[in-house]
Amino acid sequence: MPSPTTPGYALITGASSGIGAAIAREYARRGKPLVLVARRAERLEALAAELSAQAPCVVIAADLADPATPQRLFEETRARGLFVDTLVNNAGFGTPGRYLSADWKTHADFLQVLMTSVAQLTHLYLPAMEAAGRGRILNVASLAGLVPATAGHTLYGATKLWLIRFSETLNQECRTRGVHVTAVCPGMTYTEFHDVNGMRDKVNKLPKGLWLTSDQVAKLGVDAVEAGKPRIVTGKANNVIAALSKYLPNWLASALIGSRSKDFRDAD
């Protein structure tokens, strides 16, 4: 069992690019040892080489769409004698279009990566954190979980809302045991996410004031979980959008978001 002085690693899923890689860089700047997890081994190795002068890095190539992966990750880190006192659930992807435009295997993989693996990894790593009296769990959610639903990307906002509520509830359960749980809710962020899901041309038309860099999001998220904040929305504009969504009548908020949804959602 780890003691309060046992060196702790930050395990980051989806660490090969975007916000995940930025969070890895942020923790490395703070001297935090890292376990970098993603499907693309060559990208992880390149990131580990970049960061190794700042912090120890362990690379584990794994696909969280495989239901066996969370248990395998846990067993591998335990076999290596690594105490994971920080878990960053960041892995994810988008499924553009209507719900019926994708086959069930795609949706099943999406739910496995964005929900089931998050719940299972948390269930696996949390006991040792509580036993040591210290731990951090940072869940990368989205502004999409706080605004009215729009057509397209059907499961995305729903899973992010679940992740926010999961984080807030878990924080209530764990905060007296030395473990902080935070949902970071970015809006538009400069990553390759929109290139992968084919929405780059559309989202580039959005106002520049809505965008943050992945480095900005990473620092805000890490600062928030260290401070014990259960939720943080990144950026002033996104906080305004979240507040309007909360306090405006639902029909009006839905109408406002819906009128611009084609700029950031593919509903075809």
Side-chain angles (χ1 to χ4, degrees), residues 12-64:
I12 304 169
T13 68
S16 60
S17 64
I19 293 173
I23 292 173
R25 292 186 178 99
E26 181 63 32
Y27 271 121
R29 278 193 288 271
R30 302 177 189 217
K32 184 76 173 172
L34 303 172
V35 180
L36 305 174
V37 178
R39 292 177 299 126
R40 296 175 288 190
E42 69 286 352
R43 287 204 178 189
L44 292 179
E45 294 290 355
L47 182 62
E50 172 194 335
L51 301 179
S52 59
Q54 297 174 287
C57 295
V58 175
V59 167
I60 303 177
D63 184 359
L64 285 168

Side-chain angles (χ1 to χ4, degrees), residues 191-195 197-204 211:
T191 70
E192 65 180 39
F193 179 87
H194 300 292
D195 299 306
N197 68 18
M199 291 294 292
R200 174 59 60 196
D201 289 342
K202 287 188 176 183
V203 297
N204 278 349
W211 293 83

Side-chain angles (χ1 to χ4, degrees), residues 54-186:
Q54 297 174 287
C57 295
V58 175
V59 167
I60 303 177
D63 184 359
L64 285 168
D66 180 352
T69 293
Q71 184 67 38
R72 182 174 72 82
L73 276 176
F74 177 70
E75 291 176 358
E76 185 161 348
T77 53
R78 185 169 58 178
R80 295 190 187 200
L82 306 178
F83 170 41
V84 174
D85 70 350
T86 300
L87 174 63
V88 180
N89 290 303
N90 166 76
F93 61 95
T95 304
R98 299 177 64 246
Y99 185 57
L100 295 180
S101 65
D103 60 25
W104 176 246
K105 176 64 165 59
T106 299
H107 290 315
D109 287 350
F110 183 93
L111 293 170
Q112 174 64 37
V113 172
L114 276 83
M115 293 181 67
T116 305
S117 72
V118 171
Q120 187 175 3
L121 286 170
T122 301
H123 198 265
L124 288 166
Y125 285 107
L126 180 58
M129 296 183 195
E130 289 195 345
R134 75 177 202 267
R136 305 289 185 264
I137 300 173
L138 180 60
N139 294 322
V140 180
S142 172
L143 181 64
L146 298 171
V147 300
T150 62
H153 296 248
T154 319
L155 293 176
Y156 189 79
T159 59
K160 295 303 186 180
L161 175 58
W162 172 85
L163 188 55
I164 292 166
R165 294 293 177 263
F166 174 67
S167 303
E168 291 173 337
T169 301
L170 203 60
N171 187 66
Q172 292 277 358
E173 295 176 1
C174 300
R175 61 186 182 183
T176 60
R177 295 175 170 86
V179 180
H180 299 169
V181 185
T182 299
V184 57
C185 303

Side-chain angles (χ1 to χ4, degrees), residues 213-263:
T213 67
S214 54
D215 288 344
Q216 289 173 311
V217 170
K219 185 177 188 309
L220 289 166
V222 173
D223 284 347
V225 76
E226 289 300 321
K229 297 178 180 178
R231 183 175 79 190
I232 180 171
V233 178
T234 62
K236 292 180 180 179
N238 294 323
N239 274 278
V240 170
I241 292 170
L244 288 174
S245 299
K246 181 177 180 180
Y247 293 110
L248 286 178
N250 189 62
W251 67 268
L252 180 55
S254 295
L256 290 172
I257 295 293
S259 67
R260 297 302 303 271
S261 64
K262 289 186 177 180
D263 293 339

